[in-house]
């Protein structure tokens, strides 16, 4: 019986384009993915992949999305923006898709605003779950699902390795878009960004618990928000995944 490979995809805003590069390399290498769990940007990439978007179709979709497809200003006291456009976008793309309709078992990781704990979403309608997983608290209004107010899963588990294990994966490949800073921070902006990264690392599962860990070296505020760098991010994801192929094949052997 062959080993089941699962993917844990971290959050990372616009850095999520790197996940597309990783997914493309695994497809091209003929490595089947048995299950996926994603947080925030990872939940969006994972959901679209699990729904059947592969290769050129996945890249075309990633290169075509704009912030207006994701967010709009909101008058809600709960957030300056709403990710309702993201939910509508997924509805147009995938129809009224449920988790049961997906080709690959998939989980979206959100954060429960009232308990601070992770909400592992695996049932019901897909689009609201992804929207909840991506909704940055304070900036984006929460999403209510089954009586719970849900926000970006990064507050509870930004690298859901344990979730993938619970889904039955024998081998977990974890893709982290918020790796350790490349050098000690020295001035105010660097210190702020490094502290943000450390908080996200602490909020996620320990990278050492993955069988293969892929830290994608993306740093700086602009990499979180600038979609204009999407090709660069996709190429970087491809490079990291290609370098890791020997380790992934060894783990599956």
């Amino acid at each position: 019986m062959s080993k089941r490979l699962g993917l844990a995809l971290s959050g990372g805003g616009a850095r999520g384009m790197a996940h597309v590069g990783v997914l493309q390399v695994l497809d091209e290498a003929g490595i089947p993915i048995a299950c996926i769990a994603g947080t925030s940007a990872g939940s969006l990439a994972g959901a679209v992949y699990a729904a059947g978007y592969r290769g050129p179709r996945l890249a075309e979709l990633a290169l075509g999305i704009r912030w207006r497809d994701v967010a709009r200003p909101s008058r809600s006291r709960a957030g300056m923006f709403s990710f309702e456009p993201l939910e509508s976008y997924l509805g147009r793309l995938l129809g009224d898709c449920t988790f049961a309709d997906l080709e690959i078992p998939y989980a979206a990781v959100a954060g429960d605003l009232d308990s601070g704990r992770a909400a592992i979403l695996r049932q019901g309608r897909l689009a609201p779950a992804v929207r909840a997983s991506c909704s940055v608290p304070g900036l984006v209004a929460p999403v209510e699902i089954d009586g719970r107010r849900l926000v970006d899963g990064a507050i509870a588990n930004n690298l859901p390795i344990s979730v993938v294990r619970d889904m039955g994966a024998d081998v977990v490949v974890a893709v982290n878009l918020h790796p350790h800073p490349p050098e000690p921070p020295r001035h105010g902006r660097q210190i702020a960004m490094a502290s943000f990264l450390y908080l996200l690392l602490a909020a996620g599962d320990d990278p050492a618990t993955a069988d293969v860990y892929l830290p994608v070296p993306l740093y700086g505020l602009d990499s979180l928000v600038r979609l204009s760098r999407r090709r660069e991010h996709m190429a970087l994801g491809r490079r990291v995944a290609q370098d890791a192929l020997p380790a992934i094949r060894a783990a599956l052997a």
Side-chain angles (χ1 to χ4, degrees), residues 4-244:
R4 290 166 48 86
L5 183 144
L7 277 182
L9 305 179
S10 85
R15 296 177 184 179
M17 295 296 170
H19 288 318
V20 175
V22 172
L23 290 165
Q24 286 180 315
V25 168
L26 294 178
D27 270 353
E28 292 163 6
I31 297 175
I33 300 170
C35 55
I36 302 173
T39 299
S40 196
S43 76
L44 176 57
V48 173
Y49 185 89
Y53 277 78
R54 306 283 190 276
R57 292 179 68 214
L58 182 62
E60 180 181 357
L61 183 65
L63 293 172
I65 196 168
R66 300 289 186 270
W67 277 116
R68 64 174 177 266
D69 298 318
V70 176
R72 63 169 172 78
S74 171
R75 295 183 178 180
S76 169
R77 295 173 61 186
M80 295 184 292
F81 299 95
S82 168
F83 275 3
E84 185 177 355
L86 173 61
E87 183 174 340
S88 299
Y89 173 81
L90 288 172
R92 294 192 301 272
L93 184 69
L94 307 176
D96 194 20
C97 182
T98 69
F99 283 82
D101 297 323
L102 298 174
E103 296 181 5
I104 298 172
Y106 160 80
V109 179
D112 188 318
L113 193 57
D114 298 310
S115 70
R117 297 176 180 174
I120 313 304
L121 306 176
R122 296 195 60 191
Q123 295 180 334
R125 295 176 59 234
L126 182 67
V130 174
R131 174 186 170 188
S133 179
C134 294
S135 295
V136 181
L139 291 176
V140 182
V143 179
E144 185 169 324
I145 298 178
D146 295 332
R148 292 186 295 178
R149 294 188 302 157
L150 303 181
V151 295
D152 195 311
I155 71 165
N157 192 344
N158 195 51
L159 191 62
I161 297 168
S162 59
V163 178
V164 182
R165 294 273 186 215
D166 290 342
M167 295 172 75
D170 302 303
V171 173
V172 177
V173 175
V175 185
N176 189 5
L177 306 182
H178 290 291
H180 279 277
E183 58 186 22
R186 301 190 184 281
H187 59 70
R189 183 175 178 181
Q190 287 182 345
I191 292 170
M193 285 303 302
S195 300
F196 174 65
L197 291 179
Y198 292 142
L199 286 171
L200 289 176
L201 285 167
D205 288 330
D206 184 350
T209 61
D211 297 283
V212 182
Y213 177 54
L214 276 63
V216 182
L218 287 164
Y219 307 101
L221 182 61
D222 63 333
S223 68
L224 288 170
V225 298
R226 287 182 58 186
L227 288 174
S228 60
R229 298 181 62 187
R230 70 186 78 200
R231 291 184 184 275
E232 174 190 340
H233 294 176
M234 289 169 63
L236 189 54
R238 287 186 63 89
R239 190 184 79 196
V240 168
Q242 286 167 345
D243 290 345

